[in-house]
Each structure stands twice: as C-alpha cells, then as structure tokens.
Amino acid sequence: QVAALSRRGLAVAAAGATLSCSSFSLVYASDGPVGAMQLPPSQQPAAAGGSGPSTTTAKEAATGHLKIGVTMREMSEGTGEVALPGMMAIVHYTVTLVGDGTILDDTRTSGFGDRRYAEPFRFKLGAINDETVLRAMHLCALDMRVGGTRRIRTCLMDTDFGYRSMPMVADEHYRRRELSPDWLMDIEMTLLALEPAPGPTLFERLFK
C-alpha cells in the first residue's frame, strides 16, 4: 500500500498532543509506485550526477519554503509488537537518493557515536525534537509491527521531515557532490525490536 501524509501532524505532536496515525492524516491509496511525487528537473536522470541546475536553494529550504510532505509504502508487514509513541524503536535503515540510488546513510555499513559499526539505530518514537533523528523516521515507524519494512519518501531539506543540514556525498573522484535541497530521497526502515518507554531520569524526577 502507498500512503500520503500531511504535515499537520507534526504541529499537533509538537504542541503536546498524542502521536498517532490519525494525527498525521494517514491515507492509504491503491498500490502504486512509492512516489507519486515527481522528480524536480535538476534530479531527472540526465542530471543524476548532480551537474544539473538547482531549482531550490538552501536558503529557500532554511526559510521554510520546502514543504512537500511525505509518501509512504508498506514493503512487508511485520507480525510482532506494534510500535507506539514513547517506545524505543530499534531499526536498520537506508537513505538513498531517488533516481540514481546514491546511498546517503546506511546503518548496516556505518557507526557513529555510541553506535558501533553495523549496529541497529535506536530512537524514542515521538520525540520529534531530537535532532539526531529525521522526523520522517517517526512517521515511518509509527504503528509499525516488529519485523516489518516500510519506505518513506520526502525531499532532502523538507522543513518538516528532511535533513536540517545538507548531507555530504562524494562523487567518483572523491569530490564533494552538489545536491539540491528539493531532490527526493527514500528512507527504507526495518523495525527489528521495541523496548518499553524509558522512565524519567533523576533530574526529571527531582524537578518535575
């Protein structure tokens, strides 16, 4: 199934409302390509190497002009526990550019900070102010069953769902590749496990 989601849910969640599918106006459509979204001219196959003209600037993205929302597809449905807000989601994911398949991030071939090489990524579902997690990933994991895989699509610098700063990618000559903020990316996520919501920290208990 393919789903289209509105941005209204993030504003609702940020205001403290319960995070749920209904908050995101989740609407399933008939089967079809994950991306009812059209590639911008600069991301068409002829310009897949990044040499085409940019249709949107980083400045425009930073000022909130990139708001295309997301589309999502259920690749395979899991059979385990359902992911609910507040739970810790343990996932593997891959982020790729639509069109040429350039990999921007892959948990199976990377490691950063406390996460060792090829270890799954952990995040608290619904903590949308955590800047280490793409907000689109919260939508992707929400109401998902353990063992399932979903793919969600948005643009690189969508102000609600994309990166906060442009990811760095090298070309075949190890030179930094120029990316356009409006280029589309796919995030494919597999939910490996869930853990209960962590309790309050000592600081939170003392100063609640």
Side-chain angles (χ1 to χ4, degrees):
Q1 286 182 311
V2 177
L5 298 93
S6 75
R7 295 183 303 276
R8 182 177 61 86
L10 279 180
V12 172
T18 300
L19 191 66
S20 66
C21 276
S22 59
S23 297
F24 291 98
S25 303
L26 182 59
V27 179
Y28 282 98
S30 59
D31 285 351
V34 118
M37 299 179 187
Q38 298 296 313
L39 286 175
S42 62
Q43 199 181 359
Q44 298 295 335
S51 58
S54 172
T55 57
T56 311
T57 67
K59 182 178 180 181
E60 287 175 323
T63 53
H65 293 150
L66 272 179
K67 289 181 177 289
I68 69 167
V70 301
T71 59
M72 185 167 66
R73 185 170 192 170
E74 194 90 29
M75 307 301 291
S76 62
E77 191 170 355
T79 57
E81 187 179 3
V82 176
L84 300 175
M87 288 182 167
M88 293 298 297
I90 295 91
V91 304
H92 267 312
Y93 68 86
T94 304
V95 184
T96 57
L97 279 179
V98 176
D100 68 358
T102 297
I103 296 176
L104 303 179
D105 193 7
D106 185 353
T107 54
R108 297 172 181 84
T109 59
S110 67
F112 184 78
D114 294 334
R115 186 177 68 83
R116 295 180 181 179
Y117 182 84
E119 280 189 347
F121 181 72
R122 301 161 56 93
F123 67 100
K124 184 177 180 180
L125 185 55
I128 62 173
N129 292 322
D130 182 353
E131 295 190 358
T132 65
V133 184
L134 287 168
R135 285 180 170 177
M137 290 174 59
H138 294 281
L139 294 182
C140 195
L142 184 65
D143 292 344
M144 194 174 179
R145 287 187 176 274
V146 171
T149 299
R150 282 179 180 171
R151 183 181 296 163
I152 194 166
R153 176 171 293 182
T154 187
C155 72
L156 286 173
M157 298 289 285
D158 185 282
T159 49
D160 290 322
F161 302 111
Y163 285 100
R164 291 169 174 81
S165 59
M166 185 65 75
M168 293 182 63
V169 179
D171 62 16
E172 64 273 16
H173 302 294
Y174 303 102
R175 296 175 300 197
R176 181 169 180 172
R177 180 177 170 186
E178 293 297 323
L179 306 177
S180 178
D182 61 350
W183 281 10
L184 299 179
M185 63 176 175
D186 282 338
I187 306 166
E188 187 164 312
M189 176 190 296
T190 298
L191 182 60
L192 303 175
L194 292 167
E195 293 179 356
T201 64
L202 176 61
F203 181 85
E204 290 170 336
R205 292 198 301 268
L206 290 175
F207 297 96
K208 185 176 179 180

